[in-house]
Amino acid sequence: MGDYAVSKYARRRVPVLGVVTLLLAMVAACSGNQSSSDSVTLRLDFLPSGYHAPFVWAEQSGIYADSDVDLTVVDGTGSAVTAQRVASGAEAYGFVDMGTAMQLIDQGAPIRAISVIVQRSPLSLLSLTSSGIDEPADLVGKRIGQVGDGANAAMLPVFLRAAGVPVDGVQPVNVPGPSLPQAVVDGDVDAMIGILNFHLAILEHELGADISRLDIADYGVNVLSFALITNETEIEQNPDRVRSVVSATVEAWTSVVADPEPALAALQEAYPDLNPEVARDQLATTITLLHTPATEGMPIGTTVDEDVLASEQALVDAGLLDEVTGEVDRYLWRG
């Protein structure tokens, strides 16, 4: 699920081009990386969740194979880790949080998004319906659970300012990511800044809570969410394969929007320990996040300049990027 539940991307900076990453890049360069092989790996952002069903389905049903791509989908351990592995050439493709990718690109990582699948920010203020938090003004004086060094903590003040709520009018409470939903249910915090297509289903199905939500995108704050990425070497050496991976991924997502059941069955078969109700709702919620107002009615994965630039501005406002560049092509390849 990206790094949201643990630390979506480190506030101020994601440590990307450190010694370990540089060594990985050197090893990949010397030994031959996935960009020049016939078979490639697509690493997910995190452990399996409902919104990963289209990728499992695309592999198992032969959608990638039918596009002449020998591709294996594997689990991830966080968007930053996946993006760094793609940057080093250890994997050719990744599915990661776009905000994380943009930070890493800003630091020099040789990666670019090739299709932004989830385009509406999943960040939302989630609270018990009984709390009476129905609009942003109701947050004043309330305790807001957040992952202390995560993007949720960085984006909270941006949302508050956009919604007309004094930043010092709320009480942020740092909570370990895995404990956030339970903290809301137990009343340790009044609300949490969470991830709609991950936390909402857990709160409702696993914890039995009735939840109210305030989506930050409804208040003019939007950072493009989950994106398919690759590295510059793959783009330069195998542009046709990059296009085929994008085309097959979009085909899979389009199929799942029309009928999610085969993909959910494939996900459940591959990961039988997943709660089927949670997975179903995670996927259903993700489907509502595939477009921004600017891309509504366009094919899945179609990304427009204004959404990339709005994301860059929001990340600058949050202190996650240093400056607005206005350069869409530094983040996105549309070959």
Side-chain angles (χ1 to χ4, degrees), residues 101-255:
M102 290 174 74
Q103 275 202 99
L104 299 180
I105 290 167
D106 186 56
Q107 295 177 52
I111 56 173
R112 274 197 279 174
I114 51 178
S115 183
V116 183
I117 303 296
V118 183
Q119 300 194 350
R120 177 181 164 93
S121 172
L123 278 174
S124 182
L125 274 293
L126 304 174
S127 61
L128 299 179
T129 302
S130 59
S131 71
I133 300 175
D134 300 317
E135 57 186 41
D138 297 329
L139 293 168
V140 174
K142 298 298 195 295
R143 300 160 299 165
I144 311 299
Q146 62 179 23
V147 178
D149 240 359
N152 52 6
M155 294 304 299
L156 178 58
V158 182
F159 159 71
L160 293 173
R161 287 192 291 268
V165 177
V167 174
D168 60 0
V170 305
Q171 180 185 345
V173 178
N174 293 339
V175 179
S179 302
L180 269 173
Q182 192 66 55
V184 172
V185 172
D186 290 346
D188 296 330
V189 295
D190 301 300
M192 61 176 278
I193 183 160
I195 312 308
L196 283 173
N197 58 335
F198 183 75
H199 288 120
L200 184 60
I202 291 172
L203 282 159
E204 292 181 337
H205 291 294
E206 293 192 348
L207 299 178
D210 291 324
I211 297 298
S212 296
R213 50 189 267 197
L214 297 171
D215 301 352
I216 73 167
D218 286 339
Y219 297 88
V221 180
N222 193 67
V223 177
L224 292 166
S225 188
F226 292 107
L228 197 62
I229 66 167
T230 191
N231 53 57
E232 297 286 355
T233 302
E234 178 75 353
I235 289 172
E236 292 170 5
Q237 294 184 357
N238 300 295
D240 289 341
R241 182 164 66 191
V242 176
R243 296 185 189 98
S244 293
V245 170
V246 170
S247 176
T249 300
V250 170
E251 178 185 344
W253 274 89
T254 303
S255 172

Side-chain angles (χ1 to χ4, degrees), residues 24-25 28-29 31-37 39-45 71-96 110-112 229-235 238 241:
L24 279 172
S31 62
N33 61 34
Q34 286 212 6
S35 298
S36 58
S37 76
S39 61
V40 292
T41 298
L42 189 161
R43 184 169 294 275
L44 301 175
D45 59 302
L71 183 147
T72 302
V73 177
V74 297
D75 302 344
T77 55
S79 285
V81 174
T82 293
Q84 290 182 46
R85 289 183 63 82
V86 173
S88 76
E91 263 96 35
Y93 298 92
F95 185 62
V96 304
I111 56 173
R112 274 197 279 174
I229 66 167
T230 191
N231 53 57
E232 297 286 355
T233 302
E234 178 75 353
I235 289 172
N238 300 295
R241 182 164 66 191

Side-chain angles (χ1 to χ4, degrees), residues 50 201 205-206 264 267-268 271-283:
H205 291 294
E206 293 192 348
L264 286 167
L267 182 71
Q268 201 68 49
Y271 303 99
D273 291 337
L274 287 179
N275 181 320
E277 288 186 327
V278 168
R280 182 179 303 278
D281 275 12
Q282 286 173 336
L283 178 58

